[in-house]
Amino acid sequence: MYETLNDWLLSLLETLSLKKPVSRLTSSAVMKIEAVYGQPVSIEEIADSLEVSSRYLRKVFKSEMGLGIHDYLTKLRITRAKELLGGSNLKIHQIASRVGMENPRYFCQFFKKETGVLPSEYAGSKRTV
């Protein structure tokens, strides 16, 4: 885990091989997403909280981050779910809820689509829904 959100953001930017700094809007969006990814949230709600249109936020975010804001949210949720699957004794429905997906069945389908395996199969997990 990272000590601060800034450490996490810097690591993400390195991972994405970004060579240019991001705008205040994009960094604010990243911080907002990090704060709310565990809740069902829409891109429109994030944009509203940043006082910009969702269309503008999507455009700036994709331009600066190299991936869409929805894709970023998806990757964050999957990353956090993997962390919880590997480092906790939570049941799958609890993990689904913690990453902002209230429907465990949908979460399992979503996780498999993104990773190629079901959460119960991830890293030899013995969890149940």
Side-chain angles (χ1 to χ4, degrees):
M1 212 63 179
Y2 301 97
E3 288 185 33
T4 66
L5 182 58
N6 234 7
D7 293 341
W8 178 80
L9 180 57
L10 289 173
S11 173
L12 173 68
L13 294 174
E14 287 173 14
T15 301
L16 294 173
S17 301
L18 294 175
K19 303 296 185 213
K20 61 182 181 177
V22 296
S23 67
R24 179 173 289 202
L25 174 61
T26 297
S27 61
S28 294
V30 167
M31 287 189 277
K32 181 69 173 177
I33 292 166
E34 179 71 21
V36 300
Y37 78 90
Q39 305 161 17
V41 63
S42 70
I43 305 307
E44 289 73 20
E45 291 169 321
I46 294 168
D48 285 347
S49 74
L50 298 171
E51 299 179 347
V52 297
S53 72
S54 60
R55 182 178 178 165
Y56 180 71
L57 178 60
R58 289 173 202 267
K59 178 182 174 187
V60 171
F61 195 95
K62 182 157 186 148
S63 169
E64 294 181 0
M65 296 294 285
L67 76 161
I69 194 167
H70 187 267
D71 294 333
Y72 178 82
L73 177 59
T74 297
K75 288 182 185 297
L76 177 60
R77 285 179 167 160
I78 292 297
T79 299
R80 294 296 189 252
K82 287 178 179 179
E83 290 171 0
L84 291 170
L85 286 165
S88 75
N89 292 322
L90 296 171
K91 295 194 177 287
I92 291 172
H93 76 273
Q94 293 169 313
I95 292 171
S97 180
R98 290 209 179 167
V99 298
M101 304 178 110
E102 295 301 320
N103 182 328
R105 186 169 280 156
Y106 175 73
F107 168 72
C108 290
Q109 293 170 346
F110 178 80
F111 191 91
K112 182 167 185 172
K113 178 183 170 215
E114 295 297 319
T115 66
V117 296
L118 290 168
S120 59
E121 300 167 334
Y122 182 76
S125 174
K126 302 283 189 238
R127 289 182 177 80
T128 59
V129 176

